[in-house]
Amino acid sequence: MQLIYAPASPFARKVRVLAIENGLMDRLEPVETSVMPVALNERVNAANPLGKIPVLMLDDGQALYDSRVICEYLDSLHDGVRLFPTDAPRRWSTLRLAALADGLMDAAVLARYEKAMRPAERQWDEWLDGQLGKVRRALRALEDSAAPLQGPLDIAQIGVACALGYLDFRFAELYWRNEFPALTAFQERFSARDSMRQTEPA
């Protein structure tokens, strides 16, 4: 299987962390690329009409996207403990936190595009503030729901760790650790895992 990804993408990092944790990384052929909202990437567009990464190309030629689908597919390929819980209500609690982490990443990536790609004179400050407001509200909600992040490894923990890692990578000026001690403690512990160290963006 080929994994089309970009090292800086928090969504691609989530897939890679899960694959490492599940012992599946040796079954993946990483194919590094880049995507931009204003530049076509024909290879990615051919596999995913939305033009987004990551994309998992299966051996039969089928393409899987987005990161949520890829992660759940990979989680079905091993005999160990599933990172997507199957028992309710833990499944719904875990998926809710995973969705919150994905939303945080979405907002942060959009804010990054606005700051890094749009000419300064055309940047929309109110729109940027709106995206960063989503980031802050997500951080507060995660802080208030941090107890499940101390339990057995699951997709929510991976997603939250990758979201927080992206903030460290692209938005160090937010100083999120000053406001969220439970998330800080979680991230310090989780970022020491080999899967996080191996996938840390340069």
Side-chain angles (χ1 to χ4, degrees), residues 6 60 123 142 153 191:
D60 64 3
Q123 290 181 13
L142 289 169
L153 178 66
S191 61

Side-chain angles (χ1 to χ4, degrees), residues 142-160:
L142 289 169
E143 178 76 8
D144 294 342
S145 304
L149 299 178
Q150 309 306 316
L153 178 66
D154 60 27
I155 187 59
Q157 292 181 34
I158 293 172
V160 171

Side-chain angles (χ1 to χ4, degrees), residues 6-182:
S9 165
F11 296 101
R13 187 182 192 190
K14 180 178 66 169
V15 170
R16 294 161 68 212
V17 168
L18 180 138
I20 292 169
E21 293 287 351
N22 282 343
L24 298 170
M25 200 64 194
D26 61 348
R27 295 179 59 179
L28 301 181
E29 176 190 345
V31 179
E32 187 175 330
T33 191
S34 64
V35 295
M36 298 294 175
V38 295
L40 294 179
N41 183 318
E42 294 297 348
R43 177 171 190 173
V44 172
N45 288 351
N48 178 358
L50 299 175
K52 294 182 177 182
I53 52 174
V55 179
L56 183 67
M57 301 299 301
L58 304 184
D59 294 338
D60 64 3
Q62 182 181 5
L64 294 184
Y65 48 84
D66 61 6
S67 64
R68 289 169 288 192
V69 175
I70 296 171
C71 283
E72 190 151 14
Y73 175 76
L74 292 177
D75 200 43
S76 74
L77 299 182
H78 66 96
D79 296 325
V81 177
R82 293 285 187 255
L83 300 184
F84 284 77
T86 58
D87 57 309
R90 182 173 172 236
R91 174 174 175 81
W92 309 120
S93 174
T94 299
L95 292 182
R96 180 180 67 86
L97 288 180
L100 188 56
D102 281 350
L104 193 163
M105 287 188 268
D106 270 327
V109 168
L110 289 173
R112 167 67 181 173
Y113 283 152
E114 183 73 11
K115 290 177 62 176
M117 300 194 62
R118 192 184 296 273
E121 67 275 9
R122 298 179 61 188
Q123 290 181 13
W124 189 1
D125 291 338
E126 291 84 357
W127 190 88
L128 179 59
D129 290 343
Q131 299 305 319
L132 294 179
K134 294 178 185 180
V135 169
R136 293 186 182 94
R137 292 193 300 274
L139 288 170
R140 171 50 57 194
L142 289 169
E143 178 76 8
D144 294 342
S145 304
L149 299 178
Q150 309 306 316
L153 178 66
D154 60 27
I155 187 59
Q157 292 181 34
I158 293 172
V160 171
C162 291
L164 297 177
Y166 188 74
L167 293 184
D168 288 338
F169 181 53
R170 294 298 196 196
F171 292 93
E173 69 275 11
L174 292 182
Y175 299 109
W176 62 268
R177 285 177 174 80
N178 293 346
E179 299 180 54
F180 305 107

